[in-house]
Amino acid sequence: MNAAAVLLVCLCLAAQGLAFEISVGKCPKSADVVKNFNVKEYTGRWYEIEAYSQVWELGGKCSTADYTLQADGKVHVKNAMRFWLGNDITQEGYAEIASDNGDAELLVTFQVPIFGKRQANYWVLDTDYVNYSVVYSCADLAGLLKLESAWILSRDATLAADSKDLVEAAIQNAGLNRKAFKPTKQDC
């Protein structure tokens, strides 16, 4: 087995353990996102209802994201969750529109201890701004693989029943792996 094959097998095994979606190929350059994205309407608190598991969320629950529009046009991002020991963990950064046409293709930047500045795309695939949002992110790994993340967000700790069909349609239209979504406990 050559080195590339060994690397692929190791990454796939790690992905299964961490529930990341790692697959062969490159990230898309764009996606079918919300057109004429209204950043101001999107600000406020969002609760994570389901998501592709993230290593930094292991042992956590009650994940939320708070978005606040700043005077410079950037959006302050504050992600929070309750760790299994009972303490709250937060991560703060900022987001800005990355598309030239004002569509919902954002770039989020965090300062991560040890690793430094970390950037990730944040594409809003669908939202009604008041009930639900479906978000996608993808990072290329070594030019051969991609690491995908996705989230189902709600303005409340539970997803409104009348939003479920819209969320499912957005997931299907984007070609996301529905089985990779894991429910987030919101019992805090």
Side-chain angles (χ1 to χ4, degrees), residues 82-145:
R82 174 80 37 92
F83 193 58
W84 67 275
L85 293 172
N87 56 320
D88 290 334
I89 297 173
T90 62
Q91 182 181 37
E92 296 187 52
Y94 64 91
E96 52 193 330
I97 299 281
S99 68
D100 293 332
N101 55 12
D103 291 346
E105 294 179 357
L106 291 86
L107 183 65
V108 179
T109 304
F110 291 103
Q111 190 66 33
V112 180
I114 300 172
F115 298 104
K117 188 165 117 174
R118 184 180 134 263
Q119 292 186 312
N121 56 16
Y122 182 101
W123 294 348
V124 182
L125 302 175
D126 194 18
T127 187
D128 67 353
Y129 299 98
V130 295
N131 294 301
Y132 74 94
S133 182
V134 179
V135 179
Y136 172 78
S137 182
C138 188
D140 286 315
L141 298 172
L144 302 170
L145 304 172

Side-chain angles (χ1 to χ4, degrees), residues 4-18 20-23 141-142 144-146:
V6 171
L7 175 63
L8 178 62
V9 169
C10 290
L11 285 171
C12 289
L13 290 173
Q16 291 303 312
L18 298 173
F20 286 126
E21 275 298 295
I22 295 179
S23 58
L141 298 172
L144 302 170
L145 304 172
K146 60 184 176 183

Side-chain angles (χ1 to χ4, degrees), residues 1-187:
M1 188 177 284
N2 66 29
V6 171
L7 175 63
L8 178 62
V9 169
C10 290
L11 285 171
C12 289
L13 290 173
Q16 291 303 312
L18 298 173
F20 286 126
E21 275 298 295
I22 295 179
S23 58
V24 175
K26 292 187 176 191
C27 293
K29 297 287 183 211
S30 64
D32 187 15
V33 298
V34 173
K35 306 297 180 210
N36 302 311
F37 185 61
N38 188 326
V39 175
K40 189 172 183 178
E41 278 190 62
Y42 197 77
T43 59
R45 171 160 287 182
W46 289 95
Y47 294 84
E48 182 181 286
I49 302 302
E50 293 183 46
Y52 288 10
S53 295
Q54 306 295 319
V55 69
W56 52 85
E57 287 187 350
L58 292 176
K61 64 180 185 173
C62 302
S63 298
T64 59
D66 289 296
Y67 304 121
T68 309
L69 188 58
Q70 300 176 145
D72 64 2
K74 292 180 182 178
V75 176
H76 179 259
V77 176
K78 181 179 180 183
N79 294 333
M81 70 174 187
R82 174 80 37 92
F83 193 58
W84 67 275
L85 293 172
N87 56 320
D88 290 334
I89 297 173
T90 62
Q91 182 181 37
E92 296 187 52
Y94 64 91
E96 52 193 330
I97 299 281
S99 68
D100 293 332
N101 55 12
D103 291 346
E105 294 179 357
L106 291 86
L107 183 65
V108 179
T109 304
F110 291 103
Q111 190 66 33
V112 180
I114 300 172
F115 298 104
K117 188 165 117 174
R118 184 180 134 263
Q119 292 186 312
N121 56 16
Y122 182 101
W123 294 348
V124 182
L125 302 175
D126 194 18
T127 187
D128 67 353
Y129 299 98
V130 295
N131 294 301
Y132 74 94
S133 182
V134 179
V135 179
Y136 172 78
S137 182
C138 188
D140 286 315
L141 298 172
L144 302 170
L145 304 172
K146 60 184 176 183
L147 171 63
E148 296 176 292
S149 300
W151 298 266
I152 299 169
L153 307 175
S154 175
R155 290 293 190 176
D156 295 310
T158 57
L159 185 63
D162 59 351
S163 297
K164 291 181 180 179
D165 288 342
L166 298 168
V167 166
E168 294 304 324
I171 290 168
Q172 185 175 8
N173 290 341
L176 300 178
N177 179 358
R178 186 61 177 103
K179 292 179 181 177
F181 282 91
K182 305 296 180 215
T184 302
K185 278 189 169 185
Q186 288 289 354
D187 60 355

